[in-house]
Amino acid sequence: MLPADGDLSEPTIVVRSGRALSGEVVVPGAKNSVLKLMAATLLADGEHIITNVPSIVDVGIMSELLAAIGVTTTRIDGVDGIELRLVNRGAITPVAPYELVERIRASINVLGPLLGRFGHVRLSLPGGDDFGSRPIDMHLKGLSQMGATFEVQHGYVEGRIEHDRLHGADVTFEFPSVGATENILTAAVYAKGTTVIDNAAREPEIADLCTMLVSMGADIEGIGSATLVVHGVEPHSLRATTHRTIPDRIQAATYLAAVGVAGGEVMLRHARPDHMEMLLRRFGDMGLELTAQHDGLMVRAEGRLRAIDVATLPYPGIATDYKPLVVTMLSVADGVSIVTENLYPGRFRYVEELQRLGADIRTDGHHAVVRGRPVLSGAKVRAHDIRAGAALVVAGLAAEGDTIISGVHHIERGYDDLVGRLASLGASVERC
Ligand code: EPU
């Protein structure tokens, strides 16, 4: 059960400002990669091993969903972090029930593998998110082009294929959707013929999924580019594999933002600067000193950040998931900034929480004007989604007095021990 609003027994995170951060933090594996890698295990029987898995609630929910479908997951805690063993014995029930789909968006990633391999799927229609409606029309349109038919009934979308296999198609997205790219990709690996995905999303997590699919035996060209060419392989020919999840660029950015507002010098072990180039350039414009290192990234900040204008865009642009962190940093920067949201127009709800901390932010449609203040002032605030929650923790580092954050369960969906990691860098932060 999730805690209700105002529940006095609900856990909180308490943050106090005033300490520069120092030391080293290990960046965990990426949530938005690992959940898709887990779904891809539906494509081949046998024992799959995924390493560098973050300890987050969403991995547990994805395991529950896969268990309901027929893949069992065992978690092994080793010296090199968490490893998952996923066993697919081929006894599959291709149904993704409402109770699990409504808990994580990534559950829709079973659509492509189930349809592509078993020719049938029943998926509860995903609902909206706190930051707006999140349709799957592009997923369904692309799969229809490959020979699937869909019917929506009683809150479920039921997909079938006309012949024994999907067939290759030219799928051009009007917008480079992450989820739709992944579903077409995982459906296309077993399709008859070649599928060309144009205007594909280019996020590093998609390249990570492609790398795993190739190691399972899939034939994919153009990995990392906006045109993915998938040559379908023979049915049931993919094999189980072992794959290491890429590090989480959003969690890495969270520690950069923390150093940005608190000051100090921190080494982000395993961070991949090549996955965050645009963001690092803009963080440099704000005054962070960033140096790529062997197996990581060093960040140093001193004095007040500088205001910048910034707009969210699909990769390689500035990700919408970074935005709450960026707005938080700009709330204490020197000058006035304009932030434009191009992906989720409704993704400004956390602004009201930042305003409770004294931030001077005005929103108009998908723009926010942020007038930097030298310091924020601690208050009780609530996290409404994962990224907004992490941004409020960072804001607490820039606020005088205590910042008490509720809605901690959102943060724990996607952050692997944010509190412990920040505390190890010297921040005064605890989970109560
Ligand atoms: N869209 C459609 N129709 C579709 C698909 C998408 O209109 O069929 C729209 C969405 O409504 C949205 C935009 O396109 O406005 C972007 O959607 P996209 O499909 O690219 O995003 P997603 O796959 O649903 C993933 C991440 C999000 C991240 C976005 C954008 C996962 C599980 N989620 O979502 O991450 O914000 O890409 O980068 O990978 C998070 O981790 O907190 C999170 C929300």
Side-chain angles (χ1 to χ4, degrees):
M1 257 301 255
L2 298 180
D5 277 11
D7 178 350
L8 292 178
S9 62
E10 173 183 358
T12 56
I13 294 175
V14 180
V15 191
R16 286 173 205 96
S17 71
R19 296 197 196 157
L21 306 182
S22 66
E24 176 172 311
V25 68
V26 172
V27 180
K31 166 179 89 76
N32 288 347
S33 232
V34 75
L35 301 174
K36 325 308 176 58
L37 303 174
M38 291 172 73
T41 64
L42 290 166
L43 288 165
D45 294 353
E47 183 184 78
H48 301 256
I49 296 177
I50 303 177
T51 61
N52 199 30
V53 174
S55 179
I56 56 174
V57 170
D58 275 11
V59 164
I61 301 174
M62 192 55 146
S63 304
E64 278 181 54
L65 173 62
L66 290 177
I69 296 174
V71 172
T72 55
T73 305
T74 313
R75 170 184 159 145
I76 295 149
D77 294 46
V79 277
D80 190 26
I82 299 170
E83 179 176 304
L84 295 183
R85 288 189 183 189
L86 298 110
V87 177
N88 182 347
R89 293 200 167 84
I92 295 292
T93 308
V95 179
Y98 173 78
E99 293 68 29
L100 293 164
V101 174
E102 64 132 16
R103 290 173 70 192
I104 45 165
R105 171 79 177 176
S107 51
I108 60 168
N109 275 69
V110 302
L111 184 60
L114 289 177
L115 205 53
R117 184 170 178 211
F118 303 99
H120 181 206
V121 59
R122 261 190 102 226
L123 173 88
S124 169
L125 275 173
D129 237 302
D130 195 67
F131 42 84
S133 118
R134 298 179 69 182
I136 57 165
D137 52 311
M138 287 162 65
H139 305 233
L140 303 187
K141 192 171 163 205
L143 293 167
S144 302
Q145 281 180 261
M146 299 170 71
T149 52
F150 293 99
E151 210 181 336
V152 177
Q153 260 184 344
H154 308 300
Y156 279 76
V157 56
E158 180 142 11
R160 294 185 185 278
I161 60 176
E162 287 157 13
H163 303 290
D164 58 333
R165 281 168 86 179
L166 290 170
H167 56 76
D170 289 348
V171 177
T172 302
F173 291 130
E174 56 201 63
F175 174 89
S177 155
V178 171
T181 301
E182 291 162 344
N183 266 330
I184 302 305
L185 191 60
T186 47
V189 292
Y190 277 134
K192 190 169 170 45
T194 297
T195 302
V196 179
I197 311 174
D198 236 325
N199 199 18
R202 283 183 279 165
E203 272 70 1
E205 294 76 23
I206 292 179
D208 199 27
L209 173 62
C210 288
T211 307
M212 173 163 162
L213 293 171
V214 168
S215 84
M216 291 166 75
D219 185 350
I220 305 170
E221 293 173 57
I223 295 176
S225 80
T227 306
L228 293 168
V229 180
V230 188
H231 304 287
V233 296
E234 283 306 304
H236 308 293
S237 63
L238 296 189
R239 54 194 177 269
T241 193
T242 296
H243 182 85
R244 183 175 173 84
T245 316
I246 58 168
D248 193 314
R249 60 199 166 99
I250 318 286
Q251 291 193 62
T254 306
Y255 297 104
L256 297 180
V259 174
V261 304
E265 186 167 33
V266 168
M267 169 69 183
L268 274 66
R269 179 72 58 199
H270 300 334
R272 289 278 301 264
D274 56 322
H275 289 170
M276 320 168 64
E277 276 178 11
M278 193 80 78
L279 182 80
L280 297 186
R281 209 175 304 158
R282 302 316 314 278
F283 274 1
D285 294 341
M286 289 170 75
L288 292 189
E289 284 174 42
L290 298 153
T291 323
Q293 305 271 326
H294 168 67
D295 193 26
L297 174 67
M298 185 70 104
V299 55
R300 194 168 163 276
E302 206 182 349
R304 205 165 163 198
L305 296 169
R306 292 188 288 272
I308 58 161
D309 293 340
V310 54
T312 63
L313 281 172
Y315 193 84
I318 305 281
T320 175
D321 291 344
Y322 294 135
K323 196 190 56 180
L325 297 167
V326 173
V327 170
T328 299
M329 293 163 82
L330 296 175
S331 299
V332 288
D334 188 8
V336 180
S337 309
I338 299 176
V339 180
T340 305
E341 169 65 51
N342 288 313
L343 276 91
Y344 301 110
R347 201 172 196 175
F348 274 119
R349 186 160 173 203
Y350 61 92
V351 162
E352 288 163 31
E353 305 299 317
L354 287 174
Q355 285 164 338
R356 291 180 51 73
L357 299 176
D360 182 349
I361 307 171
R362 279 170 200 222
T363 56
D364 184 7
H366 58 130
H367 301 290
V369 177
V370 188
R371 287 171 209 281
R373 290 247 158 105
V375 69
L376 300 177
S377 107
K380 285 187 178 171
V381 286
R382 172 164 286 275
H384 294 287
D385 73 60
I386 305 174
R387 311 301 171 191
L392 290 171
V393 174
V394 171
L397 297 173
E400 275 173 350
D402 288 4
T403 298
I404 301 162
I405 301 142
S406 55
V408 169
H409 59 280
H410 287 294
I411 300 173
E412 292 172 350
R413 281 191 46 200
Y415 277 83
D416 182 337
D417 196 17
L418 179 62
V419 168
R421 280 180 160 80
L422 283 173
S424 77
L425 298 175
S428 175
V429 49
E430 58 185 325
R431 189 185 191 282
C432 301

